[in-house]
Amino acid sequence: AAGGGARTATFVRDSDDVIAVLGDELVRVAPGSNTPAWSLALNGTAAYKRIVVHGKSVFAIGNVASTRQAKQQLHVVEVDTASGAVKTQYSTAEGVSLGGGSLVVLESREYGAYLVWRESDNIVWHIHRLGMTSPMWEIYHAKMVEVALMPPDMLTSTIAELDTDPGLNDATPRFTLTYTRDGTQKTVVVEMYRTGDKLEMRKIASFTDSAAVAAGAQRTVAAVRTSADGVAWRVRGGAKHSGDAVYESSTYGGVTHAALVFVGSAPRIVVQTRGGLLAALAGDSRQPVWTRDESLAHAADMALLALPPPASSAEHAAKETDPSVQPSAAIRFVLRWVATAQALVESVTSGFGIGSGGHGGEHAAAPTEGDHFGFRRLAVFGSTTGVVAAVGSQDGAHAWAHYLKTRVERVFITRGSQALSSAAPIVVAVGRTRNATVVTALDALTGKVVSRDTLPFAYTRVFELPASDPVSGQRLLGFAVAEPTPRLAVWPATVEAVRALGAANVPLYFELGDSAGSTAVQGFRAEIGDDVAEPWLAAQPAWTFDLPAGETLISTSRYEDGAFHTALQGRVLGDRSVLYKYINPHVGALATQRSAGGIGVYLIDRVSGRLLHAAEHAGAVVSAGHPFLATLSENRVIYQFWQPGAPAGYVTAVVELFESDQPDTRDERTEVSSLDLRLPSVVATAFVAPEAATALGTTRTGSSITTRDVLFALASGKLLALPDAMLDPRRPMHAPTKDEQAEGLVAYSAPLPLDPRRVLSHSHAVAGIAHVRSAPTHLESTSLVAAFGLDVFFTRTSPSGTFDQLSPSFSKANLVITSLALVAGCLLGAPMVRRKLTNRAWA
């Protein structure tokens, strides 16, 4: 549906059909069908987040925000299940909202579907049957829970649904009421039942200090409580059961949700923690039946740590004798040859089995060492659940994990690994609370917390600064802060760090107002004064980019680290002339939503605020289900959007920037600035993507000599790598001429191929890819690629082939034998040659 992604969905009872809210539409879809059985446009003023199917009716329930004229309330639309025709619609439950802790939806096949809620500052509960605008019943707090509470305890109580599966307990749906008395949290399980035409409530269980309560069949309920070293659980209803289990709460946090199932007559509790751990608890064993770490399914950012290359035995011996030793360049050269000779001897003695870059010997398994080719990395993830975890890029093994208790949004390697250095690499996790920023530095090899700072501001963006802290040696981080006045905060938050930044003498620019919904983006220049007294820099407005009337910002895109680097300053044409690339690291892409329909794309210079290029896509649709995606690489911007119509499809647009449209013409100045750069010449075209993408990226290599692949994370779970030439906007519309063939251009074709040979994930389906990252290796031919979302996938690719590696089929044994034979031949033949020369001289 063009309206966007599903806000909520449910199955039709006794059917495989699904009813879902897509954008502002309610639709019924049968499995395997591309068209809905019916669709209905909903009230655009309500956010529909709940669907209830009962009998021949479907109820869509949405929150209506408060206005000056009316309080917040719910809007209910009753629809015929079979035809999609509206039966009735009305508003109810004034002053409450779905998910607000004061309202639950109870579903019963026998009784119907009900709303139960309590208004703020009121101890009276309301019960309303969906589909009936009247009557509504009222029930008092004490009678409802069968517990005598004082009014303050009643007013601070919350309720939550328990039987979220309507098939679990059709007769008597249940919910929980949680309140606090004398500092102790209590949870009461309440059951709704019916006597004649009258609805009643009764308490069936109560628990103290429970983190989560779960419902089971046969009126059973379970409560889970986080203990000092794990969890404790109890089951009530029928036979009573209890137990406890141990898990690493410091790594995964406390329990938030639980589910109760029975294996035979034995209960099994499945719990989920704040950090993303799933665990099954049962019986008398203190160990979980099974655990599953899902913390990486919530990863928001990732950083790849380059481990130091393997050191020779001589270097390790030197370090063990004197940890401060730093061999000279000459000694390191000799030691490298010693290490190479050792590797050669090991390969010969092991049957010529040289591995794929790993270093043989006693240090091969050391987790602190990389390999000779730079393939072995440590991927450090930061998740929205508050977990920071390190994973090996080759085997996927978890090195460590740490629960920080705050949402992590960005991860930076502020101090990398160094050979023969005692300084540990540092990874920094950046998160935020409501009015503060939390910066946690951890040892990247062990996960041990080095420092944790709570900064008294809320940032809009964080990025690396071009200087290092003189005390810790870490790369400085800059935080763009809008309130109370625009400024650039520096971490580590010390005056010495700011002075080191000033000594770098690099102009610092940042933007504010570049978040979704904005109508203007403003650039600022941070100024470092002579007298530094605070760990932040005052900022002065540098430029303002106002969006056209009726447009709001959707997203912004920038170069990722190193993506603008290139070894070739121009493109050599077929006649040997050169089109010079417009290489500007400050290019940014803005995508906007137009009130009249369609989207706008603007390329701006983020230092001067100048408009470099603008494009309009009148029929484009951007929504939760059809996001706008973009990636920047060298002088090229690639973005994708949904284009409805006939035929509908995903459009991949490519914009390439050159210094001039005339070959052999370039800016000859030796020093250039964004403040006086010439406007670029633009070449653009569009292609039809093979299917929906969820993320875009490009490959990177160390010297940017190798051609790049464009990475498409597809909704089907494939990771597709297309050659850069396939997305060349200069592809001719006609059969290419000899010069165009010499340049490597092929005739334009709108559809991009889904070539199975170009799928990096092979037969693996990588679910929910949200981010694609690439990093260089020590080999110019090879890039590391990471895709993560619900799943995590690592691989390496060689866009131009492995021109700097020996193929796996290369016979190393024959090479060694041939070399030895040549040496032996030289040794045996030398005396013969000398005698022949001597005899010739005497002849």
Side-chain angles (χ1 to χ4, degrees), residues 244-580:
D244 59 5
V246 177
Y247 79 97
E248 299 178 23
S249 57
S250 62
T251 301
Y252 296 106
V255 173
T256 58
H257 299 85
L260 171 62
V261 296
F262 283 87
V263 180
S265 60
R268 180 168 292 184
I269 315 294
V270 180
V271 298
Q272 179 181 350
T273 71
R274 296 184 186 277
L277 179 73
L278 290 177
L281 318 175
D284 298 329
S285 174
R286 298 202 70 204
Q287 297 299 322
V289 178
W290 54 260
T291 60
R292 182 177 176 89
D293 186 350
E294 293 291 342
S295 59
L296 297 186
H298 306 274
D301 196 14
M302 182 206 72
L304 281 173
L305 173 67
L307 297 171
S312 68
S313 301
E315 287 177 298
H316 278 288
K319 291 294 292 181
E320 291 174 1
T321 304
D322 183 4
S324 63
V325 66
Q326 294 293 339
S328 65
I331 294 178
R332 289 198 300 269
F333 178 80
V334 173
L335 292 178
R336 281 198 299 272
W337 276 100
V338 172
T340 303
Q342 291 174 344
L344 178 60
V345 172
E346 290 165 2
S347 66
V348 173
T349 56
S350 61
F352 310 103
I354 300 176
S356 60
H359 175 71
E362 59 178 330
H363 303 289
T368 58
E369 287 186 349
D371 58 344
H372 291 295
F373 294 158
F375 295 162
R376 187 183 304 150
R377 302 290 180 93
L378 203 59
V380 184
F381 293 89
S383 73
T384 57
T385 60
V387 172
V388 180
V391 178
S393 64
Q394 284 193 317
D395 55 8
H398 285 238
W400 54 264
H402 197 92
Y403 179 57
L404 300 181
K405 300 182 181 180
T406 56
R407 175 189 179 96
V408 177
E409 297 179 344
R410 294 297 310 275
V411 175
F412 297 92
I413 303 295
T414 56
R415 189 171 68 196
S417 300
Q418 297 180 359
L420 302 179
S421 173
S422 59
I426 299 295
V427 59
V428 169
V430 179
R432 73 174 84 203
T433 59
R434 178 171 298 181
N435 297 311
T437 296
V438 181
V439 183
T440 307
L442 305 96
D443 186 318
L445 299 179
T446 65
K448 181 180 178 181
V449 174
V450 176
S451 66
R452 183 179 175 91
D453 300 318
T454 301
L455 308 178
F457 55 76
Y459 72 92
T460 61
R461 192 166 70 89
V462 56
F463 50 93
E464 291 185 347
L465 296 174
S468 298
D469 179 37
V471 177
S472 64
Q474 298 184 66
R475 177 63 66 95
L476 301 181
L477 298 181
F479 295 86
V481 181
E483 300 293 340
T485 57
R487 66 183 188 275
L488 181 67
V490 178
W491 183 91
T494 63
V495 173
E496 290 76 15
V498 178
R499 289 172 178 164
L501 183 60
N505 196 27
V506 177
L508 300 174
Y509 291 86
F510 64 93
E511 308 94 60
L512 295 176
D514 55 351
S515 56
S518 174
T519 59
V521 180
Q522 189 171 16
F524 292 85
R525 173 169 176 157
E527 298 181 348
I528 304 177
D530 296 333
D531 186 13
V532 178
E534 299 290 343
W536 51 267
L537 308 177
Q540 299 298 324
W543 52 267
T544 299
F545 185 82
D546 293 310
L547 298 180
E551 296 189 26
T552 56
L553 194 63
I554 299 172
S555 68
T556 59
S557 304
R558 304 173 178 84
Y559 284 105
E560 293 186 0
D561 182 35
F564 67 90
H565 290 305
T566 180
L568 302 175
Q569 297 298 314
R571 292 189 56 173
V572 180
L573 307 183
D575 60 0
R576 296 300 180 261
S577 60
V578 178
L579 273 180
Y580 288 97

Side-chain angles (χ1 to χ4, degrees), residues 659 664-670 678:
E659 291 195 17
D664 297 329
T665 302
R666 66 176 305 182
D667 192 340
E668 298 293 347
R669 292 176 296 175
T670 57
R678 301 168 184 170

Side-chain angles (χ1 to χ4, degrees), residues 641-719:
F641 55 88
W642 168 255
Q643 183 80 38
Y650 288 91
V651 176
T652 301
V654 184
V655 179
E656 193 161 7
L657 308 179
F658 295 96
E659 291 195 17
S660 173
D661 58 355
Q662 299 298 318
D664 297 329
T665 302
R666 66 176 305 182
D667 192 340
E668 298 293 347
R669 292 176 296 175
T670 57
E671 294 185 3
V672 294
S673 167
S674 286
L675 300 177
D676 58 2
L677 271 179
R678 301 168 184 170
L679 292 178
S681 173
V682 177
V683 180
T685 192
F687 302 90
V688 178
E691 60 179 86
T694 58
L696 298 178
T698 54
T699 58
R700 288 178 52 202
T701 57
S703 301
S704 300
I705 298 174
T706 301
T707 58
R708 298 178 187 260
D709 276 355
V710 181
L711 305 172
F712 292 82
L714 304 180
S716 60
K718 298 181 177 68
L719 181 60

